[in-house]
Amino acid sequence: MSMDALRFEFAIADFDLGLLPVDASVLKGNPDILRESIEGYLGDCFKRVGGEANIVARGDAVSVTWTPFAVSDFDNLKRHALALLKEGAAAQARPIIETLLKRGKPDSDLALNYGMVLSDLGYAADAAELLERLAKTEPGNASAWNALGVAYWKLERLDDAGLALERAYALAPGDGHVLKNHGALLLKKSPADALPILSEAVRLLP
């Protein structure tokens, strides 16, 4: 039985041409071939994900109306989008992830992973906004506070970063990643306090 359809829209100008099988120099001079190639690429992606996808490339955008057939299709789509993000194809991943985050029950795992990857890719402000909402919704989520602290650090909001990382440390004093980030930031203010924390992080992390 099918479920409610979701709609994603991708800007053709932002599409990563490296994902397509046709040489980029050919695609740039042939908008019709470009649109056809994007439709074909997305069609193959959604076949692997599951469900049914209607893909239309017109003008400057490609729209996808996707109808999942099973709960597992959502998991497949989430994994596909996060993989795209980690490969640096943020323009293709963001419409999918942001639509998934808006549907139904909040997905803290998706929000956390999305926030961390956005931060790694240089979208620290977007990451901080998303992770702030997650930390507010789940104040006991140490990983959310840890990732939020890192995003603040990248934005040079060091006081906010310190508070977030202290919160993460209070919640998960035995988490090596939390210790590493908390200790690294603390090192700037109090090396004597930071060194034991960093030593423990080294012991815990592979």
Side-chain angles (χ1 to χ4, degrees):
M1 180 180 294
S2 64
M3 303 178 184
D4 291 341
L6 299 179
R7 188 173 184 276
F8 317 109
E9 186 162 300
F10 306 87
I12 288 178
D14 296 336
F15 211 90
D16 183 354
L17 301 186
L19 297 171
L20 305 176
V22 181
D23 188 86
S25 61
V26 174
L27 295 173
K28 289 177 181 177
N30 294 276
D32 290 339
I33 295 176
L34 174 58
R35 284 190 285 269
E36 289 174 8
S37 298
I38 293 174
E39 285 181 343
Y41 166 79
L42 290 172
D44 289 341
C45 289
F46 280 93
K47 282 179 185 176
R48 292 192 294 271
V49 164
E52 182 178 76
N54 180 42
I55 302 164
V56 179
R58 185 180 292 117
D60 297 329
V62 182
S63 65
V64 178
T65 302
W66 177 68
T67 305
F69 293 156
V71 173
S72 60
D73 293 342
F74 285 106
D75 294 331
N76 292 339
L77 184 61
K78 180 170 74 172
R79 283 192 290 269
H80 169 67
L82 287 172
L84 285 173
L85 264 184
K86 290 172 183 177
E87 292 167 6
Q92 286 70 65
R94 294 185 71 166
I96 296 172
I97 293 178
E98 289 170 4
T99 299
L100 288 176
L101 287 173
K102 290 174 184 175
R103 65 169 285 273
K105 183 180 178 182
D107 187 330
S108 59
D109 178 62
L110 179 60
L112 176 62
N113 280 281
Y114 184 35
M116 290 191 297
V117 175
L118 283 177
S119 183
D120 289 343
L121 292 175
Y123 302 99
D126 292 340
E129 182 180 348
L130 174 63
L131 293 165
E132 283 168 355
R133 292 199 300 269
L134 178 58
K136 183 177 180 179
T137 303
E138 298 185 10
N141 188 331
S143 295
W145 287 107
N146 184 48
L148 178 58
V150 172
Y152 282 151
W153 193 347
K154 290 181 179 180
L155 292 169
E156 299 185 359
R157 294 171 54 179
L158 298 184
D159 289 342
D160 290 332
L163 291 172
L165 291 171
E166 285 172 9
R167 183 71 175 270
Y169 180 59
L171 290 166
D175 184 311
H177 298 286
V178 168
L179 291 170
K180 177 183 175 183
N181 291 324
H182 176 53
L185 186 60
L186 187 61
L187 190 63
K188 296 176 178 292
K189 296 181 178 179
S190 177
D193 292 329
L195 289 175
I197 295 173
L198 290 171
S199 296
E200 181 65 5
V202 170
R203 187 185 72 80
L204 290 170
L205 293 173

